[in-house]
């Protein structure tokens, strides 16, 4: 591993005004030790840790660098950072303020509040704010043109959403399934604007940031940097993006300003004498407003809601944008809040989870809050596994896919490139063995689960619970990241689909190379003997060339530029090349039939075979919406 220049001087920046007690000093020493070790092991340039208890900030400290190149320390008092999807909790708080004033109803049709356009329904079932805030609106995943590289290229949320709903109407009935949605919170933000008549940033400044004295907070990119890490190149800065739906993840702030927000949520909506929300609605935000099953963790308004060992609720949310990864955890019963942020996303939330567990354990008195302090490890000793035969559990075996790709529009093709997002389930005499990337473990693992209720399985010596059930006649698995995953056959898996895509591209490249070799040999014979020998099919050559050029440009532009939107030359030009190849294939088939009638059956059969492959590959690309004409 490369020796990182910043490791020789990890720069902690301490920032909280209260006189440190012995407990705080002990906590600081423990966090320092953990951070020094983990920043090096996980290749994280900088981090910040913040904790509040009651109405006070009890810990605030920066570690490492916010700017590696210029050796600028991560300072919780001055470093402006991005919090990503944690913005959604601010958006939900803003919506609940409108509920508090009677300006909106959580269960009313959102089209009653939208003035510029109307949201289409799934089978005439209206969407409400309740659905938007709990990620249960049934919206298709929004990926295409979600961001811009500069403020000048940024679309308004209204323009983005209008275009989105034209191409991607809802895909399921609202209230029937949790499906994390940036678009849903972007729509909630637009509703705030159209109900109040204020720009989003103006509204949040007036109703949230100023009352909480969050002087640095704003909707927009941060000035500090985030990084990716490579063994040979070290840290590489990630350029900032501009979100077209800012209320889904665009807030930037100085870390210490987050303390006021956490304190308000832990103290019935009040901070320093200022109330931003009524106690009743704060409580509703922190309660599970939707659960896929009563025994699974749920989602509130703007927060995820998990149960601790003693039955108390843990309220949390994470954020990830351009390498900035943040996590906020609230323990309402203990009035404790923890915020952790890093400026490199390569390690996920592994460090965040370790810090939260450490701060929680040491910040609360064990005699009074021992169960909450150990909330990360729910004991499974009470789970007495019944004698299960493997054949009884075989009904659950198979591969379950984490399908994050849209069902409509350009983003549908992302399904082919999302390897590693599936889970393999195998029945054993002791329960179920599940292999995959578990978010709470921050790694790929094989985990044993035992049945604790009908169709409900819990991780042995852990907290993760999974529910197997039927949905639309198919077996699905719900629980990991609260997501519902469908069981897929081998031909539906991303690996198989990518193999077909790559295999087709390689096939046409080989055909093109063979054609070029044959053409070169034929040319040499013409030079030597002054006579051409054998015919060379130009239609096959053009087909192979069109597919080869398309695939190369699709990999360079189609995937890389999807979130920014495509230029016209790509969306109408490059993506039409396979359609031209399909036209050539039809022509080649007609011409080959004439060849067959003239007795040249072998040559005709070869051309027809290649033409049919061309048509099949074009249909495959069309099915996954990679062409200028979409099938879905």
């Amino acid at each position: 591993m490369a020796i990182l220049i910043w490791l020789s001087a990890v720069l902690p920046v301490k920032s909280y005004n209260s006189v440190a007690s012995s407990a705080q000093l002990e906590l600081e020493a423990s966090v320092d030790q953990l951070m020094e070790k983990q920043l090096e092991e996980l290749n994280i340039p900088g981090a910040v840790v913040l904790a509040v208890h009651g109405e006070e900030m009890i810990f605030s400290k920066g570690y490492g660098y916010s700017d590696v190149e210029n050796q600028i320390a991560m300072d919780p008092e001055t470093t402006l950072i991005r919090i990503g999807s944690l913005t959604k909790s601010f958006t939900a708080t803003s919506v609940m303020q409108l509920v508090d004033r009677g300006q909106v109803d959580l269960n009313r049709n959102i089209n009653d509040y939208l003035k510029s356009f109307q949201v289409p329904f799934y089978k005439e079932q209206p969407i409400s704010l309740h659905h938007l805030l709990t990620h249960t609106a049934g919206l298709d995943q929004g990926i295409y043109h979600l961001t811009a590289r500069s403020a000048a290229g940024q679309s308004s949320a209204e323009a983005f959403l209008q275009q989105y709903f034209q191409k991607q109407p809802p895909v399921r009935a609202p209230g029937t399934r949790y499906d994390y949605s940036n678009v849903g919170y972007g729509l909630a933000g637009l509703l705030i604007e159209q109900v109040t008549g204020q720009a989003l940033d103006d509204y949040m400044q007036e109703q949230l940031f100023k009352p909480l004295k969050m002087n640095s907070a704003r909707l927009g990119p941060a000035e500090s940097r985030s990084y990716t890490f490579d063994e040979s190149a070290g840290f590489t800065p990630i350029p900032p993006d501009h979100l077209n739906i800012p209320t889904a993840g665009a807030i930037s702030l100085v870390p210490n300003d987050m303390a006021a927000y956490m304190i308000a949520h832990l103290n019935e909506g009040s901070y320093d004498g200022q109330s931003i929300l009524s106690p009743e609605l704060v409580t509703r935000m922190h309660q599970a407003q939707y659960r896929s099953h009563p025994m699974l963790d749920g989602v509130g308004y703007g927060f995820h809601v998990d149960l601790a060992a003693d039955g108390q609720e843990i309220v949390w949310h994470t954020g990830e944008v351009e390498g900035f990864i943040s996590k906020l955890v609230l323990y309402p019963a203990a009035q404790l809040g923890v915020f952790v942020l890093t400026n490199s996303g390569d390690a996920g939330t592994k460090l965040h989870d370790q810090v939260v567990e450490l701060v929680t354990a040491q910040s609360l008195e064990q005699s009074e809050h021992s169960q909450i302090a150990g909330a990360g490890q729910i004991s499974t000793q009470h789970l007495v596994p019944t004698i299960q035969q493997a054949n009884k559990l075989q009904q659950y075996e198979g591969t379950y896919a984490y399908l994050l790709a849209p069902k409509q529009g350009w983003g549908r093709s992302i399904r082919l490139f999302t390897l590693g997002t599936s889970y393999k389930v195998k029945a054993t005499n002791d329960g179920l063995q599940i292999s995959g990337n578990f978010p709470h473990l921050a790694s790929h693992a094989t985990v044993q689960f035992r049945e604790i209720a009908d169709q409900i399985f819990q991780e042995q010596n852990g907290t993760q619970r999974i529910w197997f059930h039927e949905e639309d006649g198919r077996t699905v698995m719900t629980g990991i990241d609260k997501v519902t995953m469908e069981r897929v056959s081998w031909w539906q898996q991303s690996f198989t689909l990518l193999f077909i895509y790559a295999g087709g591209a390689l096939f046409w490249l080989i055909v093109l190379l063979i054609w070029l070799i044959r053409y070169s040999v034929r040319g040499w014979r013409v030079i030597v003997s002054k006579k051409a020998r054998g015919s060379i099919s130009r239609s096959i050559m053009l087909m192979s060339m069109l597919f080869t050029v398309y695939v190369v440009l699709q990999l360079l532009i189609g995937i890389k530029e999807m979130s920014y939107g495509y230029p016209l030359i790509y969306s109408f030009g490059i993506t039409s090349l396979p359609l031209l190849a399909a036209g050539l294939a039809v022509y080649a088939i007609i011409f080959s039939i004439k060849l067959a009638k003239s007795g040249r059956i072998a040559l005709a059969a070869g051309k027809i075979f290649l033409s049919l492959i061309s048509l099949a590959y074009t249909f495959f690309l069309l099915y996954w919406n990679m062409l200028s004409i979409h099938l879905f």
Side-chain angles (χ1 to χ4, degrees):
M1 182 181 291
I3 298 176
L4 307 178
I5 57 173
W6 59 275
L7 285 177
S8 61
V10 175
L11 302 179
V13 179
K14 183 176 179 180
S15 175
Y16 50 95
N17 297 323
S18 59
V19 178
S21 65
S22 59
Q24 288 173 325
L25 293 174
E26 181 181 350
L27 174 61
E28 182 175 356
S30 299
V31 175
D32 288 352
Q33 183 178 6
L34 173 65
M35 298 298 284
E36 183 175 359
K37 176 184 177 183
Q38 293 292 40
L39 289 182
E40 177 179 2
E41 289 186 359
L42 300 177
N43 299 308
I44 296 173
V48 66
V49 179
L50 181 71
V52 299
H53 191 202
E55 298 183 3
E56 295 183 0
M57 180 165 61
I58 61 171
F59 188 88
S60 172
K61 198 165 185 177
Y63 298 86
Y65 298 107
S66 65
D67 187 327
V68 173
E69 294 82 1
N70 297 304
Q71 301 285 280
I72 299 176
M74 180 71 79
D75 188 340
E77 288 186 332
T78 61
T79 302
L80 193 65
I81 48 91
R82 302 190 72 170
I83 63 171
S85 288
L86 268 175
T87 300
K88 292 180 175 66
S89 71
F90 287 85
T91 302
T93 302
S94 299
V95 169
M96 297 304 279
Q97 287 180 324
L98 300 185
V99 174
D100 220 358
R101 301 182 196 122
Q103 292 179 271
V104 299
D105 186 323
L106 285 171
N107 297 306
R108 189 171 171 179
N109 183 346
I110 58 171
N111 282 337
D112 293 343
Y113 303 110
L114 296 175
K115 301 175 182 177
S116 55
F117 68 93
Q118 296 287 279
V119 173
F121 296 152
Y122 180 86
K123 296 182 179 179
E124 300 183 357
Q125 298 185 51
I127 295 170
S128 67
L129 276 167
H130 167 82
H131 297 135
L132 296 181
L133 298 186
T134 55
H135 300 280
T136 60
L139 302 179
D140 202 5
Q141 287 291 335
I143 294 178
Y144 183 72
H145 198 208
L146 191 62
T147 60
R149 288 192 171 89
S150 65
Q154 191 174 10
S155 297
S156 67
E158 182 179 346
F160 169 83
L161 290 167
Q162 278 186 302
Q163 184 181 48
Y164 161 85
F165 281 113
Q166 288 173 1
K167 303 290 185 181
Q168 296 177 251
V171 295
R172 68 178 58 88
T176 58
R177 182 194 285 191
Y178 169 89
D179 197 2
Y180 191 86
S181 177
N182 286 311
V183 171
Y185 269 78
L187 186 57
L190 178 63
L191 187 145
I192 294 170
E193 285 190 323
Q194 299 202 344
V195 168
T196 64
Q198 290 182 281
L200 283 169
D201 193 43
D202 292 341
Y203 176 86
M204 287 189 173
Q205 289 290 344
E206 179 182 312
Q207 301 297 331
L208 281 178
F209 302 150
K210 286 184 179 179
L212 296 177
K213 300 179 182 177
M214 301 174 66
N215 298 325
S216 67
R218 68 187 191 201
L219 279 173
E223 297 170 354
S224 57
R225 294 185 173 184
S226 57
Y227 299 85
T228 58
F229 178 80
D230 181 79
E231 291 286 352
S232 57
F235 290 110
T236 302
I238 301 174
D241 282 341
H242 297 255
L243 294 176
N244 290 327
I245 42 175
T247 47
I251 286 181
S252 297
L253 48 74
V254 165
N256 274 4
D257 277 354
M258 186 62 80
Y261 182 69
M262 290 193 291
I263 290 171
H265 266 279
L266 291 169
N267 288 273
E268 299 184 327
S270 295
Y271 170 75
D272 196 25
Q274 291 286 325
S275 176
I276 61 168
L277 196 61
S278 68
E280 178 189 355
L281 293 186
V282 171
T283 299
R284 288 179 67 183
M285 289 186 70
H286 296 173
Q287 291 175 337
Q289 299 296 331
Y290 175 84
R291 295 184 191 271
S292 300
H293 186 280
M295 295 184 69
L296 298 183
D297 293 330
V299 57
Y301 293 140
F303 294 98
H304 298 279
V305 183
D306 297 351
L307 289 178
D310 65 344
Q312 295 295 329
E313 292 182 332
I314 303 171
V315 179
W316 63 276
H317 208 293
T318 58
E320 180 175 357
V321 58
E322 299 155 13
F324 288 102
I325 294 198
S326 57
K327 185 167 187 175
L328 181 150
V329 180
L330 302 176
Y331 298 84
Q335 287 197 304
L336 175 69
V338 185
F339 172 72
V340 185
L341 176 132
T342 60
N343 58 356
S344 176
D346 297 326
T349 61
K350 182 176 181 180
L351 174 64
H352 304 66
D353 296 334
Q354 291 176 335
V355 172
V356 169
E357 183 177 352
L358 176 62
V359 173
T360 302
Q362 292 197 5
S363 296
L364 301 175
E365 295 179 5
Q366 293 295 320
S367 60
E368 184 178 354
H369 299 290
S370 58
Q371 289 180 305
I372 296 179
Q377 296 293 329
I378 297 178
S379 172
T380 58
Q381 293 180 357
H382 67 286
L383 302 179
V384 181
T386 58
I387 300 175
Q388 299 284 357
Q389 296 296 326
N391 57 1
K392 178 184 175 182
L393 301 180
Q394 284 178 354
Q395 61 179 314
Y396 304 125
E397 288 189 329
T399 299
Y400 295 78
Y402 196 162
L403 304 180
L404 290 172
K407 296 182 181 296
Q408 307 158 111
W410 285 113
R412 181 176 169 85
S413 62
I414 289 294
R415 168 85 175 274
L416 279 66
F417 306 99
T418 54
L419 299 178
T421 55
S422 61
Y423 294 80
K424 295 187 181 300
V425 178
K426 180 181 179 182
T428 68
N429 290 331
D430 206 24
L432 293 177
Q433 197 176 74
I434 303 180
S435 300
N437 290 310
F438 288 87
H440 73 294
L441 299 177
S443 65
H444 187 282
T446 297
V447 181
Q448 188 71 30
F449 284 78
R450 291 179 175 176
E451 191 166 16
I452 61 172
D454 185 32
Q455 298 181 306
I456 298 290
F457 294 79
Q458 180 161 320
E459 174 187 3
Q460 186 172 342
N461 299 322
T463 65
Q464 181 70 68
R465 287 183 179 180
I466 291 174
W467 173 39
F468 290 89
H469 56 110
E470 295 289 322
E471 190 174 286
D472 297 327
R474 304 181 64 179
T475 301
V476 297
M477 176 178 73
T478 301
I480 300 175
D481 234 8
K482 299 182 177 67
V483 172
T484 296
M485 305 183 202
E486 299 177 2
R487 183 162 61 184
V488 295
S489 303
W490 66 270
W491 55 270
Q492 297 173 303
Q493 296 178 30
S494 294
F495 178 83
T496 305
L497 299 173
L498 182 59
F499 179 82
I500 295 172
Y501 171 80
L506 181 61
F507 174 84
W508 288 110
L509 176 60
I510 292 173
V511 170
L512 178 60
L513 293 176
I514 291 174
W515 190 95
L516 291 173
I517 292 171
R518 290 189 63 195
Y519 187 83
S520 299
V521 171
R522 183 173 183 271
W524 174 253
R525 286 175 176 174
V526 170
I527 295 173
V528 173
S529 63
K530 307 299 182 181
K531 184 179 179 180
R533 296 180 183 179
S535 62
I536 303 292
S537 174
R538 290 183 175 84
S539 61
I540 299 300
M541 179 274 293
L542 288 173
M543 273 191 279
S544 60
M545 184 177 292
L546 288 170
F547 281 122
T548 300
V549 171
Y550 163 77
V551 170
V552 170
L553 293 177
Q554 204 272 337
L555 292 173
L556 292 176
I557 301 175
I559 299 174
K560 182 181 178 182
E561 298 297 316
M562 184 176 293
S563 65
Y564 300 108
Y566 297 143
L568 289 178
I569 192 172
Y570 179 84
S571 58
F572 288 99
I574 302 303
T575 55
S576 294
L577 295 181
L579 297 175
L580 295 178
L584 284 170
V586 173
Y587 166 80
I589 290 173
I590 295 172
F591 181 76
S592 297
I593 293 174
K594 294 180 180 180
L595 280 177
K597 289 180 179 179
S598 66
R600 305 173 69 180
I601 297 177
L603 179 60
K607 287 188 174 182
I608 291 175
F609 174 73
L610 291 173
S611 297
L612 291 175
I613 292 179
S614 173
L615 292 174
Y617 194 56
T618 301
F619 180 79
F620 176 82
L621 298 174
L622 179 64
Y623 181 85
W624 290 105
N625 291 358
M626 296 189 199
L627 305 184
S628 54
I629 300 173
H630 290 174
L631 192 58
F632 295 96

